[in-house]
Amino acid sequence: MLKKKIEDICNRQVEREGYSSNLYLAMASWAETSGFAGIAEWLYAQADEERGHMMKFIKYINERGGKAIIPAFKKPETEYTGVEDMFKQVLKHEEFITASINEIVELTLAEKDYNTNNFLQWFVTEQVEEESSVMTILDKLRLIGKHNMYQFDRDIMRLRTSASDEAETT
Ligand code: FEO
């Protein structure tokens, strides 16, 4: 049985992962309607992953005797000033999610909830992969500059980390 404090913070993470999915959907829609089909594909795939993360928390909370709460989500921005600025926002958001996961890990240690701590280790690894993947994209964007977006858009799906995809299927 989950302690209430752990159940509550895991439900907070349900909202954060669900919002992440919607945020990347909003970015994907912006990219798709701005002529960046490849970037949109990357973001749609990322949105699916985030929904998967939300589902992992929902299932875990319910399996451990708690009750997952499905929240309303804040509406993400619909317009972005450019691809690089948008990916900077993705990185900032992923850093926020990493800090959020770490906060739950700290609480599980304080509460001696080793089962939840074990459940969270997948997310700890996943966040390293996600931040690294976005940093690679930002590095590439800096290298190619603003004038070769056609090539970047064509190639971005190759930058998806296989470890992240593999982890998602386990
Ligand atoms: Fe599920 Fe990208 O955090």
Side-chain angles (χ1 to χ4, degrees):
M1 187 87 184
L2 281 181
K3 287 185 183 169
K4 184 79 174 86
K5 270 188 196 173
I6 302 284
E7 181 180 345
D8 288 348
I9 203 168
C10 285
N11 265 316
R12 186 186 75 175
Q13 197 64 24
V14 167
E15 191 279 331
R16 290 181 176 179
E17 299 292 348
Y19 175 75
S20 304
S21 182
N22 282 1
L23 175 65
Y24 298 148
L25 278 178
M27 289 174 170
S29 183
W30 172 82
E32 194 162 47
T33 54
S34 302
F36 300 117
I39 292 169
E41 192 184 346
W42 190 96
L43 286 160
Y44 282 129
Q46 199 60 32
D48 282 347
E49 280 198 15
E50 298 300 352
R51 187 175 186 283
H53 298 174
M54 177 178 67
M55 290 302 298
K56 279 183 193 283
F57 271 97
I58 290 171
K59 294 281 187 190
Y60 180 75
I61 295 165
N62 288 342
E63 277 166 11
R64 296 289 316 285
K67 181 172 185 179
I69 306 297
I70 311 306
F73 298 108
K74 182 177 79 178
K75 183 181 171 195
E77 294 293 329
T78 53
E79 294 302 324
Y80 297 90
T81 53
V83 169
E84 188 172 355
D85 281 349
M86 188 188 69
F87 276 107
K88 281 182 183 164
Q89 285 188 45
V90 173
L91 181 59
K92 200 169 157 210
H93 184 70
E94 287 304 326
E95 287 169 346
F96 166 72
I97 294 294
T98 299
S100 182
I101 295 288
N102 289 345
E103 206 183 319
I104 312 176
V105 170
E106 281 163 24
L107 186 65
T108 60
L109 292 176
E111 296 292 324
K112 298 187 173 17
D113 181 346
Y114 302 114
N115 287 328
T116 304
N117 185 279
N118 187 46
F119 163 74
L120 290 167
Q121 293 312 308
W122 183 90
F123 286 90
V124 170
T125 306
E126 176 70 4
Q127 282 311 118
V128 173
E129 292 293 339
E130 293 208 344
E131 284 191 28
S132 163
S133 159
V134 182
M135 282 191 277
T136 302
I137 286 172
L138 283 168
D139 285 345
K140 293 269 185 273
L141 281 168
R142 274 189 285 269
L143 273 175
I144 63 168
K146 286 192 170 50
H147 301 295
N148 209 351
M149 288 307 300
Y150 172 78
Q151 191 181 347
F152 178 81
D153 188 57
R154 196 192 56 193
D155 294 343
I156 183 173
M157 283 305 278
R158 289 193 204 147
L159 298 176
R160 279 185 67 76
T161 53
S162 54
S164 171
D165 294 342
E166 280 164 20
E168 196 55 37
T169 58
T170 57

